[in-house]
Amino acid sequence: VMVSLLVYAYSIGERSSRRVESLCERDIGFRIITANQKPDHCTISRFRKDNEKELEGLFAEVLKLCAEAKMLKVGVVALDGTKMEANASLSSSNRSEKYIEEEVKKILKEAAQTDKAEDKLYGKRNRGDELPDEMKDRRSRLKRLQECKERLELRENELARKQQEKIEMRQKEESEQGRKKRGRKLKMPEEVKNKDAKANITDPESRIMKTQAGYVQGYNAQAVVTNEQIIVAAELTQEENDVNQLHPMLNKAKENVQDIGIEKRLQAGLADAGYWSEGNMEKGLPDELELFVATKKDWKQRKAMREQKVQRGRIPEGLSKREQMERKLLTKRGKHMYSKRGQMVESVFGQIKDARRIRRFLRRGLDACSSEWKLICATHNLLKLFRRGKASWA
């Protein structure tokens, strides 16, 4: 009953546990699912939290239903990422290392004073009454602050390591050439510390993401989609851009398709310029999958495909990976294939964010939000199955 309740609620864009509790009292669809029972919002929230992995598994189960209904044609797939807001504020929750250090000291000092006062009041071996809620919240806040501090320290160490590698590389080149290199002297590792670096104290695992409308505090939600707008792979990442997700997402799509018993292999993958890099083109792909990846921003790519003449004939020798892909996208077949990308994957994100109003995660932490993203994608596929009238129960 609880699984059905969550699936139905997510399908119509209702995710707030309090809102779902209210609908269980007055909405006929919810009342049928719960057999006129009225689960408390705490029960709904706790169930969603305690069954993350099981709810993630619904994605594969729904994908099997789509395959049984013969809606899953995996010859050509498109992949893209969309920025989903975290359950955290961008403006008021990001704090510098200095602020975090001062806040940690303040909390530890208050905790020590509280312990000393309680020892005096109750005795060192006596427990006394439970701590008030505000003290519980402060201890929870202390844990998040410490996580943020550790993250900032790791980032500083990584910057210092990379700077040391640059210095050593330069020294090696100067030694081989027998003279000093021209240009500005490299800073020492301890001088590259980013004083403006910040971490979010509400959801430390979320990141600041750039979107067309500005910056958001959130995650990068990835999806691989078929021509029928069925999502065959869904993952969540903290990385601000898509370039490192090309191979993991296509491999995940291949794995998911094989797991549900589809023998037909992926033939072509479509992606925008966010996935382009020379390194991505040099790596091996699953089953020699053919790639059509834009090398420039989408509007520029579309303009070039409209205005430039169709490329024909034998491929000239000596072209770089970028030049080869640019020429490929200007062939008749390349133009036809890449033109499908937007309607395949961008429409899916529009249906999730605009039609179902799901733009922000309700939970916090990468694992929790990843589980929620897969549930969102599973219900998207379920809606496609239902609206096509091809479900076994239709």
Side-chain angles (χ1 to χ4, degrees), residues 247-263:
H247 291 271
M249 289 304 300
L250 290 175
N251 284 320
K252 188 64 179 178
K254 175 192 173 185
E255 181 185 320
N256 288 346
V257 168
Q258 289 178 338
D259 287 346
I260 60 176
I262 294 181
E263 296 180 359

Side-chain angles (χ1 to χ4, degrees), residues 79 222 224 233-235 237 239 242-256 275 280 283-286:
L79 67 155
Q222 298 281 313
V224 180
E235 298 293 333
T237 177
E239 295 190 15
D242 299 327
V243 69
N244 293 325
Q245 307 307 316
L246 180 67
H247 291 271
M249 289 304 300
L250 290 175
N251 284 320
K252 188 64 179 178
K254 175 192 173 185
E255 181 185 320
N256 288 346
Y275 295 88
N280 278 343
K283 291 180 182 177
L285 287 163

Side-chain angles (χ1 to χ4, degrees), residues 62-74:
V62 175
L63 209 54
K64 286 180 183 177
L65 293 176
C66 293
E68 290 171 5
K70 302 189 185 305
M71 286 180 57
L72 205 54
K73 299 176 183 178
V74 296

Side-chain angles (χ1 to χ4, degrees), residues 43-89:
T43 303
I44 298 168
S45 179
R46 196 162 46 242
F47 180 86
R48 181 166 50 189
K49 178 183 176 182
D50 294 343
N51 296 277
E52 282 180 5
K53 294 301 178 184
E54 289 78 5
L55 291 173
E56 275 189 28
L58 290 176
F59 180 80
E61 295 300 319
V62 175
L63 209 54
K64 286 180 183 177
L65 293 176
C66 293
E68 290 171 5
K70 302 189 185 305
M71 286 180 57
L72 205 54
K73 299 176 183 178
V74 296
V76 180
V77 294
L79 67 155
D80 204 355
T82 185
K83 306 303 190 295
M84 293 284 289
E85 293 182 31
N87 190 2
S89 169

